[in-house]
Amino acid sequence: MAQPSKFVLINEPYGVVSDPMDLVSLIDRKVYLRMAPISGRHVGAVGLGFSRKVFLGINVELPGLPLHHSIHAEQFLVVNLMLNSEQNLTHLAVSSSDSVFHAPCGHCRQFLQEITEASIIQVLIKDPALGIQEFVTLKSLLPRHSNLLPDLLQARDNKLLLLSSEGCEDLVLLRTALAAANRSFAPYSKCPSGVALKDREGKVYRGWYIESAAYNPSLGPVQAALVDFVISGGTKFEDIVEAVLVEKRDAVVSQEKTAKMILETIADPKCAVKVFHCV
């Protein structure tokens, strides 16, 4: 499960950020874990929650898979917020260096729009060469966005029930996947889903499908579970030896084939991926 040691800064001098510009000094915390083996472009995101805790995100590329399966640093940050029950984001800084801070990519600008009061999130823009250092609103970066149900970070219970647990050898893994599916944010397709992963040491990680009104920026449940894996100290995806996916029976949007394809590529070759259905 998510552990607030590396990716959530809650102790002095990092835990209380009196001036949002202090986020600039925290971006170098991203370098302790580099997970961009394909592009070599290591991006870090630092966010300030309403609780005044600082949350970190990094981009994660999945070896052997096309880059569109990657987890953007901003998406990683949002999952980090959700795993830690943080209900709002006030400030955001994104950088691939320690000096230049740029706006989130268009993909992530739309993804962030699902957050309550997303339009007023303050995004740091800094370029010493141009003499720029300021916060601008997310709304100014995406003025005419698709935004239908902006409550991504709010607590939810989809009230899903398993149809059967037959064939399940690990009820803890199954219950974790079901609990994740019940937290899934899928207001547009109405097809929530959740994934639970187990590593060689028996540790369990969870993630759920996160939908965007623009569809393509949506984040799959496996990627979300991989965020939990990385946050909790995991570095080698091949240490994942078992997985459970829970989704609706006859779902219009099914995660089964994609989940299996991702895990067959990055996890232990003998990783078992089991699918259970719910209503």
Side-chain angles (χ1 to χ4, degrees):
M1 302 301 177
Q3 299 176 359
S5 55
K6 293 182 178 179
F7 286 88
V8 183
L9 308 180
I10 59 177
N11 298 315
E12 294 290 355
Y14 304 111
V16 179
V17 176
S18 57
D19 182 350
M21 198 61 71
D22 291 342
L23 294 176
V24 171
S25 65
L26 302 180
I27 196 69
D28 62 349
R29 293 290 293 245
K30 75 180 187 301
V31 302
Y32 60 74
L33 195 60
R34 295 178 178 271
M35 303 194 73
I38 302 173
S39 70
R41 181 177 173 82
H42 304 283
V43 180
V46 181
L48 184 62
F50 188 75
S51 66
R52 310 304 290 179
K53 294 177 183 177
V54 175
F55 297 84
L56 305 181
I58 59 172
N59 63 317
V60 178
E61 297 169 1
L62 308 182
L65 292 172
L67 283 171
H68 69 265
H69 290 293
S70 301
I71 305 164
H72 292 222
E74 298 91 328
Q75 291 178 309
F76 189 113
L77 175 65
V78 169
V79 175
N80 193 4
L81 293 167
M82 298 179 79
L83 289 171
N84 288 282
S85 300
E86 181 73 30
Q87 296 192 352
N88 222 325
L89 177 67
T90 63
H91 294 78
L92 174 68
V94 183
S95 180
S96 57
S97 71
D98 294 333
S99 57
V100 178
F101 293 77
H102 45 76
C105 69
H107 180 282
C108 288
R109 295 181 206 187
Q110 184 61 62
F111 186 79
L112 292 165
Q113 291 296 334
E114 302 296 338
I115 297 176
T116 304
E117 298 183 350
S119 63
I120 61 174
I121 293 174
Q122 299 291 307
V123 180
L124 177 63
I125 306 296
K126 180 183 177 184
D127 189 335
L130 299 176
I132 299 173
Q133 180 170 299
E134 62 179 347
F135 279 100
V136 301
T137 64
L138 185 61
K139 182 178 181 179
S140 70
L141 298 174
L142 193 63
R144 296 187 180 183
H145 55 268
S146 298
N147 188 4
L148 303 179
L149 298 166
D151 63 351
L152 172 61
L153 297 180
Q154 306 309 304
R156 67 181 44 76
D157 181 1
N158 293 317
K159 301 186 183 303
L160 302 173
L161 298 174
L162 284 173
L163 289 171
S164 173
S165 60
E166 184 177 354
C168 179
E169 299 177 357
D170 190 329
L171 290 177
V172 171
L173 205 60
L174 177 57
R175 289 168 183 157
T176 301
L178 176 61
N182 275 316
R183 294 186 66 178
S184 178
F185 180 76
Y188 310 114
S189 69
K190 310 297 184 185
C191 296
S193 59
V195 162
L197 307 174
K198 180 188 286 187
D199 68 12
R200 299 184 196 280
E201 297 181 356
K203 296 179 182 178
V204 176
Y205 314 92
R206 84 288 197 206
W208 45 88
Y209 178 44
I210 302 172
E211 218 162 50
S212 165
Y215 303 157
N216 284 348
S218 301
L219 190 70
V222 171
Q223 283 94 331
L226 291 175
V227 171
D228 192 16
F229 175 79
V230 173
I231 285 175
S232 301
T235 58
K236 298 179 180 179
F237 297 136
E238 56 266 32
D239 287 339
I240 298 169
V241 297
E242 192 173 350
V244 167
L245 165 68
V246 170
E247 64 180 5
K248 283 186 174 180
R249 180 178 58 185
D250 302 323
V252 176
V253 174
S254 173
Q255 303 290 337
E256 181 175 351
K257 291 182 179 179
T258 300
K260 288 181 175 179
M261 181 271 294
I262 292 174
L263 291 170
E264 285 172 0
T265 304
I266 68 171
D268 184 288
K270 296 182 180 179
C271 178
V273 182
K274 295 187 177 180
V275 181
F276 295 87
H277 295 114
C278 58
V279 292

